[in-house]
């Protein structure tokens, strides 16, 4: 089924980044500018990214999977350059796999151009490192179960036993449940936690607290959705150990010790 013309013109799944139109990759930007058809996730992707593009534009918010694939397949049959634009990075809660499976069935090739996930944009908004030496070296991307179930072995309660940094997507509307699970799983009540709504957008909002008070602070704020929850000791203020990487007394492949 796959012919040369198809291989040269794959459907491009592109990470739009978290919101700020300057946080898309150069490759992603070029693909948008050269596209004939763009299907974007209108509920989350900043429409400013589409200003000035030549392509016909579809908003996937009101489309089901069948409709999305039909639009792609028809345009692909005409040899058009197609972009499927996802918020953040497409590999994280992007629902790209189901689209790829349908494209496989149709013999249509595709390629992914990654993007800046909102988890990382939120860490940037807080000026934090998620992997602090001697505090934690692990980052977990997860969510509270809601309409989409989470396997029991990956419940927040179970993950809390690991105790690293967590980036919790799609869950701010259930903040009380999130706090209850994390606390039951072993995070102390004074563990720092922050909620970043619309990271990198002009109306970005940040709420910081501890597991003890964050739920009340979020309820008192205007934050309702499109927010990232970051939690863990890595968010704590104060001095921590310095890494070996830049330690003057430590040599490695690229540097001799002083
Ligand atoms: N692929 C996306 C995530 C899509 S799921 C990514 O990599 O970021 C949608 C969830 O992502 C939202 O419920 C919210 O938790 C988070 N999110 C998306 N954009 C965000 C932003 N600008 N600021 C904070 N959280 C965001």
């Amino acid at each position: 089924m796959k012919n040369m013309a198809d291989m040269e013109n794959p459907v491009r799944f592109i990470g739009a980044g978290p919101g700020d139109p300057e946080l898309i990759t150069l490759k992603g930007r070029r693909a948008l500018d050269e596209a004939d058809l763009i299907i974007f996730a209108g509920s989350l992707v900043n429409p400013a990214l589409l200003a000035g593009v030549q392509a016909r534009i579809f908003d996937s918010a009101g489309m089901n999977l069948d409709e999305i694939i039909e639009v792609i397949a028809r345009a692909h049959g005409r040899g058009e350059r197609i972009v499927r634009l996802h918020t953040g990075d497409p590999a994280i809660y992007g629902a790209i796999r189901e689209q790829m499976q349908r494209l496989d069935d149709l013999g249509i090739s595709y390629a992914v151009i990654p993007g800046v996930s909102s988890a990382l944009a939120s860490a940037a908004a807080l000026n934090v490192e998620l992997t602090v030496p001697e505090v934690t070296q692990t980052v977990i991307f997860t969510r509270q179960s809601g309409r989409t179930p989470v396997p029991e072995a990956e419940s927040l309660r179970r993950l809390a036993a690991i105790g690293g940094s967590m980036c919790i997507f799609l869950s701010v509307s259930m903040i009380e449940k999130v706090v209850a699970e994390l606390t039951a799983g072993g995070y102390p009540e004074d563990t720092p936690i922050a909620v970043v709504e619309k990271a990198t957008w002009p109306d970005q909002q940040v709420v910081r607290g501890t597991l003890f008070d964050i739920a009340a602070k979020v309820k008192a704020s205007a934050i309702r959705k499109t927010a990232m929850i970051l939690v863990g000791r890595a968010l704590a203020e104060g001095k921590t150990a310095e890494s070996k990487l830049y330690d003057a007394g430590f040599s490695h492949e690229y540097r001799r010790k002083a």
Side-chain angles (χ1 to χ4, degrees), residues 114-234:
V116 177
S117 176
S118 59
L120 302 175
S122 297
L126 298 169
N127 286 335
V128 297
E129 174 170 359
L130 296 172
T131 53
V132 180
E134 295 177 33
V135 176
T136 181
Q137 292 289 290
T138 302
V139 183
I140 296 172
F141 286 7
T142 189
R143 63 177 300 173
Q144 170 65 48
S145 60
R147 284 212 311 190
T148 304
V150 171
E152 172 50 31
E154 301 169 12
S155 69
L156 284 183
R157 186 181 298 234
R158 299 271 287 271
L159 295 179
I162 295 167
S165 297
M166 269 194 225
C167 305
I168 307 175
F169 292 72
L170 294 157
S171 304
V172 78
S173 65
M174 298 173 278
I175 186 76
E176 277 144 341
K177 176 92 178 144
V178 168
V179 167
E181 287 285 292
L182 293 175
T183 312
Y187 277 90
E189 277 199 322
D190 65 352
T191 306
I193 179 168
V195 176
V196 183
E197 187 188 54
K198 298 192 84 176
T200 80
W201 291 65
D203 51 347
Q204 166 182 301
Q205 279 195 74
V206 176
V207 173
R208 293 171 192 263
T210 62
L211 282 177
F212 179 73
D213 61 14
I214 195 73
K217 284 184 172 176
V218 168
K219 293 284 170 210
S221 78
I223 293 177
R224 293 296 169 261
K225 57 172 193 173
T226 322
M228 177 64 47
I229 304 171
L230 296 183
V231 61
R233 278 275 148 236

Side-chain angles (χ1 to χ4, degrees), residues 55-79:
R56 283 174 293 124
I57 298 171
F58 285 79
D59 180 352
S60 61
M63 299 165 81
N64 62 36
L65 181 59
D66 295 335
E67 290 165 343
I68 292 168
I69 298 301
E70 196 185 312
V71 168
I72 292 176
R74 230 187 283 137
H76 187 264
R78 291 193 292 263

